[in-house]
Amino acid sequence: MFSHVLQSEFELTLNPARIVFAEGAITRTQEMVEALGCKRALVLSTPGQIDQAQALVASVGASAIGSYSNATMHTPVDVTTDALENFERLEADCTIAIGGGSTTGLGKAMSHRTGRPQIVIPTTYAGSEVTPILGQTENNMKTTIRDADLQPDIVIYDPELSYGLSESMTITSGLNAVAHAVEALYAKDRNPVSSLMALEGARAIFEALPDIKSKPDSTLGRRKALYGAWLCGSVLGLVGMALHHKLCHTLGGMFDLPHAQTHAVVLPHALAFNEVAVPDSLSPIATLLNSQTAGAGLFEFTQSVGAPLALKDLGMPQSGIASAAQSAVQNSYWNPRDFNQEQIERIIDNAYHGRSPEALA
Ligand code: NAD
């Protein structure tokens, strides 16, 4: 199935992290702090997960010295500065981020500045916990850095923690994970291992989301979704992303759109466009979705699980379509298919209105 991947040479450096995956694994957090040689962990969360953060501080006991619960989407630098003041004042020696990509981002930003180790306990499917990538915002500008030191040291995957994730966030966050996987399948620097992980990750999420939608407390569904998130996040950390991620970063940054939802809307459109250039890479996705093409199959899948379909429903202004297209073609990422501004405008216009995706001439 992956013979096309073997048509070229490849290089692979796996990102080292200790992965602990089990129901109830959060109860091993103190053991993980000790495994890092640390004694004074600062627990991080968003304001919405302050209760979880405080419960974690209590359960970790003497190895946790408090919590900081102002993590914010897109890792604003002023929040990182504030968190670091708390870290230093409390004489902390490591962080434990409990939450989604926003909280993980804060943990990475702090570790990058302090050189201290970090544990992440993910509660969404964004995948940031297994990447050496950090996006930060300052003066309304988002910049991304990639550095091996950003990779968290220990990741505790406890499916029980995602039971409380709302259905809508579960669906869109799962599709955010799928976005990493499908772009990894056609990445310029893909390799047989990244393609295996990407396809297995996508398969797990495709199975999990309908299961969780029909049975929100499905233990197997939650376990599969988190397993898929781990694999999809891992490939995001291994290979380069393309047009889809560029479009989401542009749209999210320009119009402050919600991260996971933007990925869910844009993905079928970016995929339908790229599929023309890389049909072999994406045919396993079409097969998994029981569809002729990956783009059409994914659009049907997003509809069937009730994901948002239109950028206009996420708060994007129609007047922004042309300027977003203009911005997206600047400093663009490598992509398997060449594109021009007119095509990108058409893709965004389709995504804005929630139309079916087109391959485009
Ligand atoms: P998020 O972390 O912003 O979480 C969304 C909301 O859901 C928050 O209010 C959070 O507190 C809440 N929440 C999370 N888990 C919950 C749970 N189990 N129960 C109840 N509420 C819960 O959203 P996200 O989509 O996970 O992360 C988005 C951020 O992650 C963006 O800033 C994005 O740029 C970043 N990201 C980075 C990478 C990377 O590799 N650097 C990868 C993916 C995403």
Side-chain angles (χ1 to χ4, degrees), residues 46 48-49 52 72-75 99-103 108 123-128 131 133-135 142 161-166 169 173 176 180 236 259-260:
T46 61
Q49 289 179 278
Q52 266 180 306
T72 308
M73 185 142 351
H74 305 311
T75 326
S102 298
T103 309
K108 287 175 164 180
T123 62
T124 70
Y125 308 123
S128 175
T131 79
I133 304 166
L134 170 66
K142 185 162 180 173
L161 300 175
S162 54
Y163 290 1
L165 192 63
S166 66
M169 189 65 197
S173 190
N176 184 191
H180 309 328
L236 171 67
H259 181 82

Side-chain angles (χ1 to χ4, degrees), residues 185-235:
L185 286 172
Y186 53 62
K188 191 180 177 186
D189 52 352
R190 67 185 182 273
N191 59 69
V193 172
S194 63
S195 295
L196 270 174
M197 293 171 85
L199 194 53
E200 171 71 353
R203 184 194 63 78
I205 302 272
F206 289 150
E207 287 180 12
L209 298 189
D211 187 14
I212 296 171
K213 188 172 166 62
S214 63
K215 279 183 288 163
D217 56 354
S218 164
T219 309
L220 184 58
R222 289 293 181 185
R223 198 180 297 163
K224 272 189 194 169
L226 203 57
Y227 166 67
W230 166 51
L231 291 170
C232 294
S234 296
V235 294

Side-chain angles (χ1 to χ4, degrees), residues 20-286:
V20 180
F21 191 112
E23 258 93 11
I26 193 171
T27 57
R28 295 183 57 193
T29 307
Q30 182 182 8
E31 175 195 334
M32 298 301 144
V33 174
E34 288 168 0
L36 290 172
C38 296
K39 293 183 167 59
R40 299 177 64 80
L42 180 65
V43 175
L44 311 174
S45 79
T46 61
Q49 289 179 278
I50 193 167
D51 291 348
Q52 266 180 306
Q54 287 175 351
L56 184 59
V57 172
S59 77
V60 170
S63 300
I65 41 81
S67 59
Y68 178 86
S69 292
N70 281 334
T72 308
M73 185 142 351
H74 305 311
T75 326
V77 169
D78 55 348
V79 173
T80 302
T81 305
D82 187 43
L84 284 170
E85 279 168 20
N86 282 267
F87 187 89
E88 278 158 28
R89 180 175 51 77
L90 293 166
E91 297 180 357
D93 58 8
C94 67
T95 56
I96 308 171
I98 180 164
S102 298
T103 309
T104 303
L106 177 61
K108 287 175 164 180
M110 293 173 71
S111 176
H112 192 57
R113 288 161 175 81
T114 61
R116 298 304 307 166
Q118 44 172 333
I119 297 172
V120 179
I121 308 178
T123 62
T124 70
Y125 308 123
S128 175
E129 65 281 356
V130 277
T131 79
I133 304 166
L134 170 66
Q136 322 183 76
T137 43
E138 192 169 26
N139 304 323
N140 295 325
M141 281 277 293
K142 185 162 180 173
T143 50
T144 303
I145 49 175
R146 184 182 267 266
D147 187 325
D149 289 346
L150 288 166
Q151 170 62 57
D153 302 82
I154 296 178
V155 183
I156 300 175
Y157 284 110
D158 184 342
E160 283 177 15
L161 300 175
S162 54
Y163 290 1
L165 192 63
S166 66
E167 179 183 308
S168 62
M169 189 65 197
T170 296
I171 301 290
T172 53
S173 190
L175 289 167
N176 184 191
V178 169
H180 309 328
V182 295
E183 290 230 298
L185 286 172
Y186 53 62
K188 191 180 177 186
D189 52 352
R190 67 185 182 273
N191 59 69
V193 172
S194 63
S195 295
L196 270 174
M197 293 171 85
L199 194 53
E200 171 71 353
R203 184 194 63 78
I205 302 272
F206 289 150
E207 287 180 12
L209 298 189
D211 187 14
I212 296 171
K213 188 172 166 62
S214 63
K215 279 183 288 163
D217 56 354
S218 164
T219 309
L220 184 58
R222 289 293 181 185
R223 198 180 297 163
K224 272 189 194 169
L226 203 57
Y227 166 67
W230 166 51
L231 291 170
C232 294
S234 296
V235 294
L236 171 67
L238 285 179
V239 300
M241 295 289 115
L243 177 65
H244 168 75
H245 280 74
K246 174 67 182 182
L247 286 174
C248 292
H249 293 165
T250 303
L251 293 164
M254 285 179 81
F255 309 112
D256 196 24
L257 304 183
H259 181 82
Q261 292 86 332
T262 305
H263 274 272
V265 172
V266 172
L267 188 59
H269 299 274
L271 212 54
F273 179 79
N274 276 344
E275 192 163 14
V276 178
V278 282
D280 287 354
S281 299
L282 290 178
S283 69
I285 295 289

